[in-house]
Amino acid sequence: MKRAYLDNAASTPIRNEVLKVIMNTLKYSLGNPSSVQHSYGREARSILEESRICIAKNIKASPSEIIFTSGGTEANNLVLRSSVLDLGVQHILTSQLEHTSVLQTILDLSIRYKISVDFISINKKGILDFNNMEENLKKNIYKKTLVSLMYANNEIGNLLEVDQVVFLCKKYNAYFHSDTIQGIGNLPINMEQLSCDFATASAHKFYGPKGIGFAFIRHYLLKKMKPFMTGGVQEYGIRSGTENIHGIAGLSEALRLSYCNFTNHIKKIKDLKSYCILELKKIIPNIIFNGLSSHPEKSTPSILNFLYPIKPDHLFYFHLDIMGVAVSKGSSCNRKNHKKSHVIQSITDEYLLKRTMPIRISFGIFNEKKDIDLLVNILQKIRK
């Protein structure tokens, strides 16, 4: 049976080149990178630091600003919790469109440490109201504030108007954390230009291994931060524990390859997205795309989200899978798959939610037009 994997925003297939690096590291790198008394440990340390340098080079950062984690969720937790516990943040400003690893962590911090939390207003396209953002920053001018906003939304693909956010954060002396997990490795992110204080990444979003990621933290803030995990001196004393050397080597190689042939890869994905939009419009004349996902400039090329006109059925995505297509309704980190996406609920009328099913298609470099053709054919069959 023909099959099409169109859920790359959840996790991308690993590249063969990356797999080779991982296997070689597992096989030949025997030492602990903290055991520098012998050559085996020093070799492992060399792989670790060379990977850190490579990653920093590709995002225009300093190697000392890269802290390895188990993935994006831990990286977001590290940034948010350390901001409150070590940097004196008393107020967090975010949006209802953020990933659950951000929203649930903020909720926990608000309960544990009485941190005040506000949400920036959004319209039905998921566009932030910057007047509302400024009003909130002005209202909380005497509180140390952290603004946490996603660079590229993982469900509807909206790209953040970063320049506007940075301007307001600097104007009101607020820290800026951007969840760049859908961005790094898939979009040309340059930390010298981005001007955020914190950013986060996960290797399996750009054709690397699962279970490894990193937090980018400006060096002047890193100096103020205490250990997030205790028991050792790894990762500049911020995150104790023996580093995942083969995962880090795989992450580094995946990121290098992503930016090595970036222009061709991004063009292919943009072409696939444009083709998919045209084909969907043929079978659903009045199709509703969620957020800005169909906009060629204001959304990430890899994500397309729309409402499929069919009676809601929590087995709908399972039926698609049985027929050969893997898509999703939104974030894979929400295990309660029978529930509607909090992002879609935030921007969609209840009337529509009761009559449609949201579908998130996410494209990758290994997809072809035939994958989209298969999806469209299956959607037609299901509707009939």
Side-chain angles (χ1 to χ4, degrees):
M1 182 179 72
K2 293 180 181 178
R3 292 192 61 80
Y5 181 76
L6 293 166
D7 196 21
N8 290 275
S11 189
T12 51
I14 193 166
R15 292 175 187 263
N16 287 332
E17 302 95 324
V18 174
L19 189 58
K20 184 177 180 180
V21 167
I22 292 171
M23 295 305 293
N24 283 340
T25 306
L26 278 169
K27 188 174 182 179
Y28 298 113
S29 181
L30 311 180
N32 186 315
S34 296
S35 299
V36 293
Q37 300 87 353
H38 52 70
S39 60
Y40 295 101
R42 290 194 295 273
E43 181 186 355
R45 169 61 62 176
S46 177
I47 293 171
L48 172 68
E49 297 308 333
E50 285 175 8
S51 297
R52 200 189 309 271
I53 290 168
C54 178
I55 291 163
K57 180 181 177 181
N58 277 286
I59 63 171
K60 301 296 187 293
S62 167
S64 62
E65 296 174 316
I66 306 299
I67 303 295
F68 291 114
T69 66
S70 65
T73 292
E74 186 192 331
N76 283 335
N77 269 264
L78 167 59
V79 168
L80 293 167
R81 294 184 187 280
S82 295
S83 294
V84 170
L85 296 175
D86 304 329
L87 302 180
V89 165
Q90 302 165 296
H91 177 67
I92 298 178
L93 184 57
T94 187
S95 86
Q96 295 284 4
L97 304 178
E98 305 308 303
H99 190 269
T100 51
S101 65
V102 169
L103 292 178
Q104 289 182 9
T105 303
I106 289 174
L107 174 62
D108 183 61
L109 289 168
S110 72
I111 295 170
R112 286 174 184 253
Y113 305 107
K114 310 302 179 186
I115 302 302
S116 60
V117 179
D118 281 306
F119 295 92
I120 302 168
S121 299
I122 54 174
N123 67 13
K124 291 299 181 182
K125 284 291 183 182
I127 300 172
L128 298 176
D129 182 340
F130 288 109
N131 289 328
N132 177 255
M133 178 180 174
E134 182 164 19
E135 287 171 8
N136 191 281
L137 287 169
K138 190 182 296 184
K139 181 180 70 175
N140 292 281
I141 189 68
Y142 296 111
K143 292 181 179 179
K144 176 51 77 174
T145 297
L146 173 71
V147 175
S148 182
L149 295 169
M150 196 180 294
Y151 187 89
N153 189 273
N154 64 314
E155 296 197 30
I156 56 176
N158 287 23
L159 291 175
L160 183 67
E161 294 181 57
V162 176
D163 291 344
Q164 186 71 14
V165 175
V166 169
F167 171 78
L168 291 174
C169 286
K170 287 184 176 179
K171 182 177 179 180
Y172 293 96
N173 196 31
Y175 294 125
F176 174 34
H177 160 238
S178 188
D179 173 347
T180 52
I181 292 167
Q182 289 294 335
I184 287 180
N186 295 300
L187 295 168
I189 291 181
N190 181 327
M191 289 304 171
E192 291 177 355
Q193 297 175 357
L194 184 55
S195 296
C196 64
D197 297 294
F198 311 95
T200 47
S202 187
H204 74 111
K205 305 297 185 179
F206 48 87
Y207 314 98
K210 299 175 184 68
I212 187 68
F214 67 85
F216 162 84
I217 304 172
R218 296 285 175 191
H219 59 87
Y220 51 83
L221 295 175
L222 198 59
K223 293 176 182 177
K224 301 178 182 179
M225 292 169 63
K226 297 174 183 177
F228 177 67
M229 290 175 62
T230 55
V233 296
Q234 292 89 349
E235 297 307 294
Y236 306 109
I238 298 298
R239 185 190 187 271
S240 298
T242 303
E243 291 93 342
N244 176 1
I245 296 299
H246 62 279
I248 290 168
L251 185 160
S252 173
E253 180 68 1
L255 191 63
R256 185 188 72 80
L257 290 170
S258 289
Y259 287 129
C260 184
N261 199 17
F262 182 76
T263 303
N264 290 335
H265 290 158
I266 204 74
K267 183 182 183 304
K268 178 182 180 179
I269 292 173
K270 282 183 175 180
D271 289 344
L272 286 172
K273 184 173 182 176
S274 298
Y275 178 71
C276 189
I277 290 171
L278 289 173
E279 293 302 302
L280 287 172
K281 284 181 176 178
K282 289 178 184 178
I283 64 167
I284 313 171
N286 297 317
I287 189 170
I288 298 173
F289 292 104
N290 291 314
L292 299 172
S293 66
S294 63
H295 196 290
E297 304 300 330
K298 296 183 179 181
S299 70
T300 180
S302 58
I303 293 176
L304 185 64
N305 197 310
F306 67 98
L307 297 177
Y308 188 61
I310 192 171
K311 184 179 178 181
D313 178 1
H314 69 277
L315 293 175
F316 173 69
Y317 309 99
F318 177 74
H319 292 317
L320 284 173
D321 180 48
I322 290 296
M323 297 175 77
V325 173
V327 294
S328 72
K329 68 173 182 179
S331 174
S332 55
C333 287
N334 183 3
R335 292 185 64 187
K336 296 179 180 179
N337 289 323
H338 62 283
K339 292 199 172 184
K340 296 182 179 74
S341 154
H342 70 277
V343 172
I344 300 302
Q345 287 188 76
S346 298
I347 62 173
T348 308
D349 294 330
E350 189 63 29
Y351 175 85
L352 283 173
L353 289 175
K354 291 179 179 179
R355 290 161 177 79
T356 59
M357 292 292 288
I359 298 178
R360 181 188 70 178
I361 306 167
S362 44
F363 313 97
I365 61 171
F366 298 115
N367 287 126
E368 303 292 344
K369 284 186 178 180
K370 63 181 180 180
D371 297 327
I372 296 165
D373 293 336
L374 181 60
L375 168 67
V376 171
N377 289 334
I378 289 173
L379 287 176
Q380 285 180 298
K381 288 179 182 178
I382 288 178
R383 198 171 182 188
K384 289 177 181 178

